[in-house]
Structure formats: structure tokens, C-alpha cells
Amino acid sequence: MRFRTIPASPADPLRVVIVGAGGMGRAWLATVADSPEVTLTGIADLDAALARDVADSAGLPDLPVGTDAAALARQTGAQALINATTPEAHHPVTTAALFAGLPVLGEKPVAENVSRALSMAAAAEVTGELFMVSQSRRWNPYLATLRGMITRLGTIGTMTTSFFRSERFGGFRDLMAYPLLIDMAIHAFDSARYLLDAEPVTAYCQSYNPPWSWYAGDANATVVFEMDGGTRYVYNGSWCSPGEVTSWNGTWRVSGEKGTATWDGDHEPVLDAELDAGEPADSPNFGIAGALQAFVRALRTGQPPSGEVHENVMSLAMVEAAVQSATSGRLERLDDVLERAHAQALREETRADVRNALAGWSSVRDILAGTERMETR
Ligand SMILES: NC(=O)c1ccc[n+]([C@@H]2O[C@H](COP(=O)([O-])OP(=O)(O)OC[C@H]3O[C@@H](n4cnc5c(N)ncnc54)[C@H](O)[C@@H]3O)[C@@H](O)[C@H]2O)c1
């Protein structure tokens, strides 16, 4: 998608407001403070006292705070917004910012469901502002190295992720119907799309709760995705697996016609000795610092970044397809998931300009891939 550029640089840093002063808002505050390319003009939260407290604790007693992010951005001369609110607030906060002329870097998941995510993609098109989702685990040099190794394996048959942790969070995750699929698996699904450079076609999921689980909803899930090109991606995970745990990134195995690559999630991936592994990826920034750097670079150059909303939606669609399959007991086609979400977005959209943009999409998949826009505009 073409979007408005802003020539930010260390000499003229991008002025941003952070919205959401919770755990991730504080992480973004520290990341912005460390970046020479960005400067903070304010923090917004529904709880203004919390925003004040977070600013004061960061040694910024004079930093403006408020409850309305777009208004605070206007008052403080901000040029962009970092949205670290809870998932159900992503749509209203980001849409208001885009229509206020602010590009947005938003936390994952893009929205609480695919329908709302499609509305946000259409809002980005209508406004011509960049909306990028920070899918933090994509910004990992080991993942980039593994991606390079995969190109040496020929056709890929199977890729697997094992994710086994024993986490006692308390709070909302203990009460959700699908805590593993909705809160965590999106990171692996997004990495799988990136690693294989392929999009999902179908999903089959069994989601279940072991007898000893301390979660109300399903803490375990096994999902098989068929990716385009025929590769099967298998995700096998648990939030309540006492004993030896895997990395937070999971452990990965990629099996192709010429060999195998493996990654323990925390160290350099390993390729069969007889294959040339190529150069390790040159990517200095991990996690949200990597996302912030990509956002500023994209605004400067006009090149769509990894995580641009259209590109990101399919990762959430994988979650939605897995949940729908777990519920129906059937194999779900991603195209059907996208079409149902599109119909829901059209039914629920309250802005006429965004509804018109959504109504103009003949194929959601092509719109997300960028191919329909290239053909028709
Ligand atoms: N990248 C990662 O690894 C990672 C890790 C944890 C959380 N997250 C994501 O970050 C986001 C925030 O998570 P968190 O753990 O910081 O949540 P949190 O509940 O600690 O904080 C969210 C804050 O947003 C504020 N808020 C909600 N609606 C708002 C609105 N309309 N306007 C202004 N403020 C509003 C709340 O008052 C709260 O202070 C979520 O989307 C979550 O999925 C990402």
C-alpha cells in the first residue's frame, strides 16, 4: 500500500505519543527512550493517573499525559502514534489516529478479530496513512538466519513448532476459552508465514484441556496448516506442561527434500553439516526495537514494512481458522474464514468511507497480498 512519508532522522526525530500505559506501554517507553530516531511527546491512557505515574517513574515529570490519544498527539505536535492498548481498544484508537492524520505502530494482535482487522486495513487505505503491526518475535536475527537456511533445503515437506511451558499467570488468561491459541500461538503462526514465505490454505485444530490444567479454557492445542505450495506446518503447544520447557519462541524443525534445519528458539539455528548455511542475518535490533526501527525507515522511504496491516492480517486469520476448526471439528479453509470476516466487517462498519473501501474489495486474499491493488489501481 502507498502511504504518506515523513522524513524522520536522528537530526529530526519522529515525534510520537504512546497510548496504553500498561506493561507493554512501559516497554515501549524504554524502547523510544533508547532510539535516536524517535522522541516522545506524551503518554495517553484511559487511566490518566496511571499515565502520569508511568511518566514520573521514567523521570519525565513534565511529559504531557491525557486520556484521548489523538487529542494529545494534536496538542503536543506528535507525528505518529504507538498503540499499546488492550486488543479490543486497537480498532477504535488506531482508526481515530489514522483519520487524525497519524501513522500508527500498533501492538499485536492487530485487532480482537479478523473482521475488525479488515476494517483497519480499509481505514489505512482511505486515509493513506501507514498502519504497521509490531509482531515483536518476527524481529529476531535467529529467525532471519533460519529463513535463509530454509532456502537451501529445496521443497519443504513439513515444518513443526513445539511450544511447551508451565505458566501460572492468574488474571484474564486463566479465564479465556482458548488462551494458548489466542494469546500466544499468533507469534509462531506469524513466524511460520515469514519462514516459509507462504500463506495458509487450510487449518485443522484439536484444542483441549488436560485433566491437571489450571486454566478454565483449553491450554493445549495441535494445529495442522496446509500452506500454499503444499508444505504442512504443524503447531503443537501447551501452557500447562510441568517439567522441561521449551523456549518462549518454541523449538522448530524444518524438513525439506535436501535436508533439515532446526532451531531451539534461543540460539543460532542449525543446518545439516553438508549444506552451506550462508551468512547469519545482519539485524541488530530484537523485538519491539526492531519493529520501531522498521516503522521509522518505512515512513522515511515509503517502502511497506514487514507487519504493514494488510500483510499482518493473515497471522490473525490463522488463529481464527484454528479456533473455528476446534469449534466445528472440521478442516477450515482460510478463504472461508476471510470471506466470513469480510461480510461481518461490512455489516458492522459505522464509517461510510471505510465501508465503501471494504465493499470495493473483490477478493480479500488478493487485497491482503497486494495483488488486487496492483492490478486495479
Ligand atoms: N509483543 C509481545 O511480546 C507482547 C507481550 C505482552 C503484551 N502484548 C500486547 O500488548 C498489548 C497491551 O498489553 P499489556 O499487557 O500492556 O496490557 P495492559 O492491560 O497491561 O495495559 C493496557 C493499557 O491500555 C489502556 N487502555 C485500554 N483501552 C484504552 C483506550 N481506548 N485509550 C487509552 N488507553 C487504553 C488500559 O487502561 C491499560 O492501562 C496487547 O495487545 C497485548 O497482546 C505484546
Side-chain angles (χ1 to χ4, degrees):
M1 194 195 97
R2 292 170 69 88
F3 51 86
R4 186 173 63 90
T5 55
I6 301 177
S9 69
D12 182 18
L14 184 75
R15 298 186 298 280
V16 300
V17 156
I18 294 173
V19 51
M24 280 314 286
R26 285 191 292 275
W28 277 107
L29 185 70
T31 302
V32 166
D34 281 347
S35 168
E37 296 185 303
V38 182
T39 187
L40 187 66
T41 70
I43 302 179
D45 197 289
L46 290 178
D47 182 347
L50 176 66
R52 180 75 275 149
D53 202 43
V54 166
D56 290 352
S57 313
L60 302 167
D62 299 326
L63 189 78
V65 301
T67 53
D68 181 326
L72 184 65
R74 190 173 58 247
Q75 287 154 16
T76 61
Q79 299 162 292
L81 199 76
I82 295 176
N83 186 352
T85 60
T86 39
E88 70 285 354
H90 289 179
H91 179 279
V93 169
T94 289
T95 304
L98 294 172
F99 278 97
L102 298 164
V104 178
L105 176 58
E107 260 303 332
K108 61 74 38 188
V110 49
E112 78 270 34
N113 60 39
V114 176
S115 154
R116 300 282 264 180
L118 296 180
S119 164
M120 293 157 94
E125 291 179 11
V126 171
T127 58
E129 298 293 345
L130 173 62
F131 171 32
M132 172 180 161
V133 180
S134 169
Q135 199 76 57
S136 61
R137 280 158 213 268
R138 199 180 260 215
W139 303 99
N140 181 328
Y142 298 141
L143 197 72
T145 301
L146 180 60
R147 189 179 200 239
M149 289 175 173
I150 288 174
T151 62
R152 290 165 165 78
L153 296 179
T155 303
I156 307 301
T158 307
M159 182 166 80
T160 64
T161 307
S162 297
F163 178 87
F164 288 87
R165 309 278 314 178
S166 182
E167 304 297 331
R168 291 179 183 271
F169 296 105
F172 73 95
R173 292 184 185 85
D174 287 11
L175 305 172
M176 292 166 72
Y178 299 100
L180 180 77
L181 285 173
I182 290 182
D183 193 54
M184 192 65 214
I186 191 166
H187 285 298
F189 296 173
D190 183 72
S191 296
R193 292 177 54 227
Y194 168 72
L195 286 171
L196 295 170
D197 196 15
E199 296 294 4
V201 181
T202 63
Y204 177 70
C205 174
Q206 290 208 357
S207 172
Y208 46 102
N209 211 19
W212 65 87
S213 171
W214 49 91
Y215 293 81
D218 291 348
N220 286 26
T222 302
V223 197
V224 182
F225 292 100
E226 180 181 347
M227 308 297 286
D228 54 29
T231 301
R232 298 309 194 272
Y233 169 56
V234 183
Y235 176 87
N236 200 15
S238 172
W239 265 141
C240 63
S241 176
E244 188 187 325
V245 295
T246 63
S247 157
W248 275 94
N249 292 317
T251 60
W252 295 71
R253 170 174 287 267
V254 191
S255 164
E257 65 177 324
K258 295 182 185 160
T260 294
T262 56
W263 182 38
D264 69 5
D266 290 328
H267 305 92
E268 284 286 344
V270 178
L271 184 69
D272 287 342
E274 63 273 19
L275 294 172
D276 171 13
E279 292 299 311
D282 177 23
S283 158
N285 283 326
F286 267 89
I288 61 175
L292 183 61
Q293 190 184 45
F295 181 65
V296 176
R297 191 189 317 121
L299 284 175
R300 192 165 49 227
T301 63
Q303 292 296 316
S306 171
E308 191 277 328
V309 56
H310 294 80
E311 188 271 327
N312 180 265
V313 169
M314 202 58 105
S315 298
L316 184 63
M318 289 172 82
V319 174
E320 210 154 288
V323 169
Q324 289 180 10
S325 171
T327 313
S328 69
R330 290 194 300 269
L331 186 86
E332 296 288 342
R333 282 167 21 92
L334 267 290
D335 281 342
D336 295 340
V337 172
L338 293 175
E339 292 309 324
R340 284 194 289 268
H342 186 222
Q344 184 183 347
L346 282 167
R347 274 196 312 277
E348 294 179 352
E349 185 56 55
T350 54
R351 288 195 64 110
D353 45 8
V354 174
R355 192 179 324 102
N356 280 342
L358 286 165
W361 294 0
S362 56
S363 157
V364 180
R365 190 182 275 271
D366 289 350
I367 282 285
L368 297 182
T371 48
E372 177 166 313
R373 281 192 310 282
M374 280 191 291
E375 283 159 15
T376 58
R377 290 174 204 189

